[in-house]
Amino acid sequence: MLNYIKDNRIKSGLMLLGVIGIILFFIYISNLTGYSTSKFKDILEIMYFITNSLLLLVAVIGLKQLTIAKNNSKMNAKRESYHLAAEQCTHFLNYIIPLADETILAMKAKSFDDFGEVEISMKDGKVTFDNKFNEENFELMSIKEVHKMVYLFNAFEAYSLFFTHRVAEEEVAFSTIGSTYCSVVKRFIPVILNASNFGEKGYSNIIKLYTAWNNKLEKQKLLEERVENERKEREIVTIDFKSLGT
């Protein structure tokens, strides 16, 4: 875009210099040929009109070029955002999921599937969490397994940051792996929230993205249930009994 602006300024400057050159040329000719003042004034008025017209034309062309440059910039940014979202989804499936599977297998080996439950609700326009953290399950994990969880949470956080800060296209990621993301994070969200309550602010992006995507999934579920109920209602056959007098 800056190149467009620079080019248009150069073009405008060259046109203006050209007009000034023409005016100076007429002044020089008038001195040689003895043009009358009135004739030269008429020429200047014509040149003034032409100059304004040229400047207007340059302004219109410049505005058009700026609009094109702005649209191209938006299109390129959108394309890059989609591309980055696709890359992050691939990274999530190929790298983060295997990390999560290691911890999940360790949990199942100790005969539990999660670290508690979390109920998400809205109160006074703010999201609130009722965290039923199962500390007993957490204490069953070894130091090495806890370190692996921290490594996993850091990977979750890095992935989530791309979408909470709108660096990558969030809708692309949600439609691709939104359900998978939420089902995996759901197992660990009590630990993540518990860590945040003790001053660990490094997992705020996990909490934000999980909350947003979980709410979307809940809305989708309710919509699907409503559509299914409406379908069943249409299929129900009603039987009316007429009285004898009709």
Side-chain angles (χ1 to χ4, degrees):
M1 185 180 292
L2 292 176
N3 289 333
Y4 279 114
I5 296 173
K6 185 177 180 181
D7 291 342
N8 285 319
R9 285 179 177 176
I10 292 173
K11 291 177 182 178
S12 301
L14 290 175
M15 286 186 177
L16 189 57
L17 287 174
V19 172
I20 293 173
I22 293 171
I23 293 173
L24 292 175
F25 173 75
F26 275 106
I27 294 174
Y28 177 73
I29 292 298
S30 65
N31 291 331
L32 290 179
T33 59
Y35 268 10
S36 64
T37 305
S38 60
K39 288 183 178 180
F40 183 67
K41 183 178 179 181
D42 293 340
I43 293 173
L44 286 179
E45 289 178 352
I46 294 172
M47 294 304 302
Y48 178 76
F49 175 77
I50 293 174
T51 302
N52 287 339
S53 300
L54 289 174
L55 291 176
L56 178 61
L57 180 61
V58 171
V60 171
I61 293 174
L63 181 61
K64 184 178 180 180
Q65 295 298 328
L66 285 174
T67 303
I68 293 173
K70 186 177 180 180
N71 291 338
N72 287 339
S73 178
K74 286 183 178 180
M75 187 178 298
N76 291 335
K78 194 72 172 178
R79 187 184 296 112
E80 181 63 25
S81 178
Y82 274 74
H83 179 70
L84 187 57
E87 284 186 344
Q88 288 303 309
C89 289
T90 301
H91 174 74
F92 183 87
L93 295 173
N94 294 340
Y95 178 73
I96 299 179
I97 288 295
L99 285 179
D101 287 341
E102 290 183 17
T103 301
I104 292 171
L105 288 174
M107 293 161 60
K108 289 183 176 180
K110 302 175 191 300
S111 302
F112 70 93
D113 293 323
D114 54 49
F115 293 100
E117 296 180 355
V118 174
E119 293 182 4
I120 304 173
S121 59
M122 292 290 294
K123 186 176 181 181
D124 298 329
K126 295 182 178 180
V127 179
T128 59
F129 303 94
D130 183 11
N131 187 12
K132 298 179 175 64
F133 174 58
N134 191 324
E135 190 172 353
E136 294 180 357
N137 286 351
F138 182 76
E139 290 178 351
L140 293 174
M141 305 296 286
S142 67
I143 297 297
K144 183 178 180 180
E145 289 166 342
V146 171
H147 287 167
K148 283 187 176 181
M149 271 202 297
V150 172
Y151 193 66
L152 172 64
F153 294 168
N154 290 339
F156 274 138
E157 178 69 10
Y159 170 83
S160 304
L161 182 145
F162 280 94
F163 304 103
T164 57
H165 287 72
R166 300 180 181 180
V167 178
E169 181 59 40
E170 181 256 343
E171 285 297 333
V172 173
F174 175 74
S175 62
T176 306
I177 60 170
S179 179
T180 302
Y181 176 91
C182 288
S183 65
V184 175
V185 173
K186 184 178 180 180
R187 295 175 181 270
F188 304 104
I189 197 66
V191 183
I192 294 169
L193 286 171
N194 193 64
S196 298
N197 290 337
F198 282 95
E200 178 57 64
K201 300 300 182 182
Y203 302 136
S204 60
N205 290 292
I206 302 176
I207 297 170
K208 290 177 183 178
L209 190 63
Y210 173 76
T211 302
W213 283 6
N214 186 69
N215 287 346
K216 285 186 178 183
L217 291 172
E218 289 294 328
K219 287 182 178 180
Q220 285 185 356
K221 183 180 178 181
L222 291 173
L223 180 60
E224 290 171 358
E225 290 177 353
R226 187 174 69 181
V227 171
E228 179 63 17
N229 288 334
E230 290 176 353
R231 184 189 66 78
K232 289 180 179 180
E233 185 178 353
R234 289 194 299 268
E235 291 178 353
I236 296 175
V237 178
T238 58
I239 300 175
D240 296 328
F241 296 96
K242 296 181 180 181
S243 61
L244 293 176
T246 61

